[in-house]
Amino acid sequence: MKILGRKSYAVVLVSMFITLILAIMITSNIGSASISTYDVFRIISSKIPYIGRTIDIGDITLGQHTIIWNVRLPRVILGALVGASLAISGASFQGLLKNPMADPFILGISSGAALGASIAIITKVTFSFFGFSFVSITAFIGALLAVFTVYNIGRIKNKVPVTTLLLAGVAVGQFLTAIMSFLMVIYNKDMTKIIYWTLGSLAGKGWTPITTLGVPLTITMIILTFFAKDLNVMLTGEESAKSLGINVERTKIYILILGTFLTSLSVSVSGIIGFVGLIIPHIVRLITGPDHRILLPASAFAGGTFMIIADTIARTAISPMEVPVGIITALFGGPFFIYLLRLKKKSI
Amino acid sequence: MVIINAITVKNILFGYNKKDVLRDITFDVLEGEFLSIIGPNGSGKSTLLKTLNHIFIPKSGQILIKDLPIENYKKKDLAKYMAMVPQDTNVDFEFRVEEVVAMGRHPFQKRFQQETKEDEDIIYQSMELTNTLEIRNRYINEISGGERQRVFIAKALAQKPSIILLDEPTSHLDINHQMDILNLLKRLNEENGITVVLVIHDINLASRYSDRILLLDSGEVIGLGNPEEVISIENIEKSYGMNVAIERNKYTDHIYLTPIEIKHRIKDKKYYNIHIISGGGTGQELINRLYGEGHSLSLGVLNVGDSDWQHGRSLRIEIVEEKPFSSISDKSYKKALDKVKESDIVIMTNVPIGSGNLLNLKLAERSIELGKKIIYYEEDHYENFDFTNGEATTILDSMKAKGIKVIKNIDDIIEELK
């Protein structure tokens, strides 16, 4: 007799990880230019140090090589990173705020980032820093400023009651969105560009965001899982958690900072891709239960997988035109989630 | 056997913002005892409990846990010694009962450590002790309030604590589940030697289960001691503003309190010292009404065992007594006369008068001479109240001639006193 079914946890995590890797390989293979799976495999393998030298890719054209290596693969990997980041921060925010409606954007990140990006788009400054465009940088700063404001409004002395934090998030978010809408009305020539940005896209980023953000994002996600147990206990009540020796207020701040960092970075490169951070944790919770020790890593894997599938649909559905990926995530995620909810209801 | 203090509280002061919620609280919790904290709403009970658990930190004063200041404990070490069952046990997420109980092992585990065999054994035992084994696989948000309370007690037990603090564990439960929880706590206290400190609203349950009771009012200790000492008419009146009757429950042999009336101490209302001369149950209704109105009463002379005497005792009213079935002695008569002298008003009921209690009638007659206001309460007029061959009737007639008020119902008496 096993308590908590630890073994099944490991099985779930490993199979979700394998699914993610498979999804990366399969989706790199899908696109308007047809390249065989075997060739894709060879191109990727040839980049692996040592092993790569033994693989002959002489028969693959430079064009095919470029499409796979410089276009599709970085896009898929970025999708996996962004999806994982959004889903894991969504899961931890839902736990932290004890609110199933919470998502990574609930504390004003999306509105702050959108306003920041709008300002950059309107001012047309072309400036880049470590390969990041001015839009990315202002979006990141906007997101951080928004959360900082929300946190300080929601804070009462050195405590952060969940309700005031949520209300402050909604209020600040609405306020910033209003400013952005106002800017869009005034500078209506840039409106399309701003709207496209807010719908999110993973197109044409190349390797730069992955080489710079890949490591910090992955490390932040790993650190976030350190707090899984504390989050579990906090779900049974903050007083309970305190009497079990958890420093509740400090843990809240850590999770807020880590989640905000993950979300802001993701948003700065990909725009606002909604729904992933809200529904992936719910879908995973239906499978694994609410234990954050498995919920957090499983959400990351599932978020990554979901995002790259959604993005593949975004770039191939009405090819050669691209649909913003945020539309796809909501279009497919919504009904799927409703289906799962109904399934769950029937089983009770 | 040396009795050790599990918790020592010295002069603590605690307040939210500027308002002081706990003022100069000093008491101790003995190792292995069952202590209930009672008091009216807003008296600071829950706050005190959370201060004991270091969730709230007092502005001044000291709390010692086993002779060491509470600040000296690491949070996790404190959690290994003392467990807390919060008032609100609602959990919105679908944890299984077993997972919730397992969280009690948190203070013993490192960040990524899984449950060891020892943890699993303790989790199992905790569920066994609390009868939650059969619901171990159910979801915490789908079980009943009583079951959830037991699950949270199991979670507390998984901390292997010496002390369990509980914040109103029986509120929101029906009487069956209230007793179920308290029996469980009593068992843990007696058989497993766990010190139990709980906040509870039900005074009768508190006196039934507790070794000692701490009565709080407006953040101050009103009483601390065994139930008989603390649950007194005076203490309850002072803290709850209630007139109550306190007696020994004949089924459980514990102190039993019956609320009679909320005391409305109205500013302009006059309160009198009233002496009542009655007997044989003729005074009961009158006593209840006047007591409820807030007047200070004295009774007598009454024979021990008389139904008015029993009634007066349960309300802890001062009574001038005479031995059972005996005639009133001169000694008791004089005592009663002293009471009459202290009083503003004397009320006599139409108790039948025989040779044994003729002195009571003379007491009433004497009080007219003393210039006291006297009321004769004659609910029903019996022709044969006189068992003294006319002597009583003569006295009563002469009293009536002297102008005592004869009132036929209690409402009129209340009106007369205004």
Side-chain angles (χ1 to χ4, degrees):
Chain A
M1 190 225 58
K2 274 280 162 240
I3 284 183
L4 311 183
R6 264 177 249 148
K7 277 182 184 157
S8 55
Y9 277 17
V11 171
V12 169
L13 281 186
V14 168
S15 47
M16 285 180 121
F17 181 70
I18 292 171
T19 313
L20 175 63
I21 299 297
L22 281 177
I24 291 176
M25 288 167 60
I26 294 165
T27 51
S28 315
N29 213 358
I30 300 171
S32 34
S34 79
I35 301 163
S36 76
T37 316
Y38 179 60
D39 289 348
V40 171
F41 181 71
R42 280 197 300 159
I43 292 166
I44 296 171
S45 311
S46 71
K47 296 291 176 181
I48 301 169
Y50 305 113
I51 306 165
R53 271 181 242 155
T54 63
I55 292 162
D56 176 30
I57 50 166
D59 57 322
I60 297 170
T61 66
L62 192 64
Q64 286 174 324
H65 185 275
T66 309
I67 286 172
I68 296 299
W69 185 253
N70 291 341
V71 180
R72 282 196 207 155
L73 193 64
R75 180 168 181 164
V76 168
I77 293 175
L78 181 66
L81 268 176
V82 168
S85 302
L86 292 176
I88 200 172
S89 15
S92 44
F93 279 8
Q94 283 167 5
L96 177 77
L97 302 170
K98 293 193 201 79
N99 190 323
M101 295 307 292
D103 74 352
F105 304 137
I106 197 141
L107 300 177
I109 294 182
S110 54
S111 326
L115 180 60
S118 313
I119 290 169
I121 290 168
I122 290 161
T123 53
K124 298 185 177 61
V125 175
T126 48
F127 156 86
S128 76
F129 181 75
F130 276 107
F132 290 102
S133 67
F134 190 55
V135 174
S136 286
I137 294 164
T138 50
F140 182 65
I141 294 170
L144 289 190
L145 282 178
V147 177
F148 183 75
T149 314
V150 167
Y151 176 77
N152 278 295
I153 293 174
R155 189 182 54 161
I156 296 169
K157 282 192 179 160
N158 47 6
K159 287 188 178 165
V160 197
V162 162
T163 326
T164 55
L165 195 65
L166 275 172
L167 287 174
V170 171
V172 170
Q174 295 283 348
F175 178 73
L176 296 179
T177 306
I179 297 178
M180 185 188 76
S181 309
F182 183 69
L183 288 178
M184 284 185 355
V185 172
I186 307 249
Y187 300 92
N188 51 21
K189 266 188 253 164
D190 296 315
M191 203 191 277
T192 327
K193 231 179 149 184
I194 294 174
I195 289 175
Y196 259 86
W197 188 88
T198 57
L199 289 171
S201 168
L202 294 163
K205 313 282 181 191
W207 281 102
T208 323
I210 298 165
T211 49
T212 46
L213 300 185
V215 175
L217 284 178
T218 313
I219 289 176
T220 312
M221 284 190 256
I222 292 169
I223 298 174
L224 204 47
T225 59
F226 285 10
F227 295 99
K229 247 188 201 174
D230 305 79
L231 264 175
N232 284 347
V233 180
M234 279 162 65
L235 280 185
T236 65
E238 289 190 7
E239 274 169 17
S240 244
K242 279 182 192 165
S243 69
L244 276 169
I246 292 171
N247 193 331
V248 172
E249 294 305 325
R250 210 162 62 196
T251 308
K252 274 194 207 165
I253 293 173
Y254 289 153
I255 293 170
L256 271 182
I257 291 175
L258 294 168
T260 303
F261 183 73
L262 279 176
T263 313
S264 307
L265 275 185
S266 309
V267 166
S268 73
V269 289
S270 66
I272 299 158
I273 302 175
F275 235 68
V276 182
L278 176 68
I279 62 152
I280 293 296
H282 281 291
I283 292 173
V284 174
R285 216 177 268 119
L286 291 177
I287 302 164
T288 65
D291 186 343
H292 286 87
R293 286 177 290 183
I294 179 166
L295 177 66
L296 294 183
S299 293
F301 294 144
T305 310
F306 176 75
M307 180 66 93
I308 57 182
I309 294 171
D311 186 50
T312 305
I313 298 170
R315 66 188 161 86
T316 54
I318 47 168
S319 167
M321 254 185 71
E322 282 237 5
V323 184
V325 67
I327 295 178
I328 304 293
T329 52
L331 212 55
F332 288 87
F336 180 56
F337 184 54
I338 291 165
Y339 164 74
L340 281 180
L341 269 184
R342 289 190 61 87
L343 207 68
K344 175 95 180 166
K345 253 194 204 160
K346 273 180 205 156
S347 72
I348 288 170
Chain B
M1 198 186 89
V2 186
I3 295 172
I4 312 162
N5 279 1
I7 307 175
T8 313
V9 179
K10 285 184 195 163
N11 309 98
I12 59 165
L13 188 99
F14 176 83
Y16 305 104
N17 301 323
K18 279 174 193 157
K19 198 175 168 288
D20 287 339
V21 180
L22 300 175
R23 273 175 278 175
D24 199 26
I25 301 240
T26 300
F27 71 101
D28 40 31
V29 179
L30 307 177
E31 209 152 75
E33 83 169 327
F34 194 117
L35 178 81
S36 292
I37 302 176
I38 63 167
N41 288 335
S43 57
K45 304 181 296 291
S46 293
T47 309
L48 177 60
L49 201 72
K50 284 169 197 165
T51 320
L52 297 182
N53 199 215
H54 212 45
I55 291 175
F56 293 153
I57 296 157
K59 285 182 189 164
S60 66
Q62 203 179 25
I63 296 173
L64 302 178
I65 304 292
K66 264 198 164 175
D67 300 334
L68 266 182
I70 199 165
E71 310 83 56
N72 290 14
Y73 286 83
K74 281 185 192 156
K75 280 175 187 287
K76 283 196 169 183
D77 289 338
L78 193 64
K80 291 174 191 171
Y81 182 68
M82 186 156 69
M84 166 98 156
V85 177
Q87 187 173 3
D88 181 13
T89 53
N90 271 317
V91 177
D92 289 333
F93 288 78
E94 284 185 324
F95 284 106
R96 290 184 190 279
V97 163
E98 193 162 12
E99 294 176 303
V100 174
V101 178
M103 288 179 195
R105 297 305 294 161
H106 188 271
F108 298 85
Q109 295 165 336
K110 299 222 169 64
R111 202 161 274 287
F112 285 105
Q113 199 188 327
Q114 298 281 12
E115 277 84 12
T116 60
K117 180 78 181 58
E118 192 200 350
D119 288 329
E120 285 179 12
D121 290 344
I122 291 170
I123 292 163
Y124 187 88
Q125 288 159 11
S126 308
M127 288 192 291
E128 202 171 31
L129 277 171
T130 50
N131 277 330
T132 46
L133 271 178
E134 57 269 38
I135 53 166
R136 64 201 291 184
N137 284 320
R138 293 188 52 200
Y139 292 119
I140 187 77
N141 51 353
E142 286 169 4
I143 57 178
S144 74
E147 287 170 329
R148 211 166 54 221
Q149 201 58 248
R150 279 191 278 136
V151 171
F152 270 73
I153 293 172
K155 170 168 164 265
L157 287 177
Q159 290 172 243
K160 283 269 149 194
S162 303
I163 307 174
I164 293 189
L165 310 174
L166 304 103
D167 195 353
E168 291 187 32
T170 54
S171 52
H172 319 303
L173 299 184
D174 63 48
I175 46 170
N176 178 310
H177 287 94
Q178 287 184 4
M179 276 197 68
D180 179 54
I181 294 294
L182 286 165
N183 285 339
L184 167 64
L185 293 174
K186 195 74 189 167
R187 212 174 67 227
L188 293 171
N189 175 251
E190 285 173 352
E191 291 170 19
N192 302 62
I194 295 173
T195 309
V196 175
V197 179
L198 79 158
V199 167
I200 185 165
H201 265 303
D202 192 316
I203 299 172
N204 290 328
L205 285 175
S207 20
R208 184 161 168 191
Y209 285 91
S210 316
D211 299 323
R212 289 198 303 159
I213 290 180
L214 176 76
L215 172 61
L216 278 186
D217 181 39
S218 319
E220 286 172 28
V221 175
I222 301 292
L224 173 66
N226 62 40
E228 287 78 6
E229 289 163 10
V230 176
I231 309 302
S232 67
I233 301 256
E234 298 75 36
N235 279 346
I236 300 301
E237 188 189 317
K238 195 169 159 192
S239 48
Y240 289 87
M242 290 283 293
N243 288 328
V244 294
I246 294 172
E247 61 206 336
R248 240 174 214 287
N249 186 302
K250 57 186 166 184
Y251 303 106
T252 64
D253 196 36
H254 285 94
I255 287 280
Y256 195 85
L257 175 147
T258 312
I260 305 292
E261 189 75 60
I262 297 173
K263 257 192 129 92
H264 296 291
R265 281 279 176 190
I266 304 161
K267 240 188 178 172
D268 295 329
K269 191 176 166 184
K270 283 185 186 144
Y271 296 100
Y272 296 107
N273 292 324
I274 300 173
H275 185 79
I276 298 172
I277 302 166
S278 66
T282 54
Q284 279 189 11
E285 214 186 322
L286 181 71
I287 292 167
N288 283 347
R289 284 293 296 274
L290 293 176
Y291 185 75
E293 287 282 317
H295 299 291
S296 304
L297 305 182
S298 57
L299 311 178
V301 180
L302 286 171
N303 286 102
V304 171
D306 181 278
S307 52
D308 280 353
W309 174 86
Q310 279 181 342
H311 193 66
R313 254 184 63 109
S314 67
L315 293 168
R316 301 258 169 123
I317 295 171
E318 200 178 338
I319 303 172
V320 179
E321 296 172 350
E322 184 51 75
K323 289 190 286 289
F325 305 108
S326 311
S327 300
I328 297 169
S329 63
D330 284 343
K331 201 175 144 203
S332 332
Y333 173 79
K334 285 209 176 85
K335 273 195 200 159
L337 194 60
D338 288 340
K339 280 285 134 200
V340 166
K341 282 174 186 165
E342 284 169 25
S343 64
D344 307 308
I345 298 163
V346 176
I347 302 179
M348 168 124 197
T349 65
N350 59 344
V351 52
I353 302 289
S355 60
N357 64 348
L358 187 62
L359 274 180
N360 264 348
L361 191 62
K362 292 194 170 157
L363 181 67
E365 192 184 21
R366 180 90 178 93
S367 52
I368 303 176
E369 290 161 24
L370 287 167
K372 298 287 172 190
K373 180 169 182 172
I374 173 156
I375 295 170
Y376 187 70
Y377 170 49
E378 190 175 37
E379 196 183 13
D380 308 295
H381 182 76
Y382 322 110
E383 284 305 326
N384 51 348
F385 93 105
D386 186 353
F387 298 93
T388 57
N389 299 321
E391 193 179 353
T393 315
T394 318
I395 297 173
L396 190 64
D397 285 345
S398 87
M399 281 166 69
K400 282 180 179 166
K402 282 175 191 161
I404 64 162
K405 265 206 149 57
V406 179
I407 298 180
K408 291 200 183 300
N409 70 63
I410 295 175
D411 287 333
D412 291 342
I413 294 180
I414 304 292
E415 198 57 40
E416 179 71 23
L417 294 179
K418 275 179 185 166

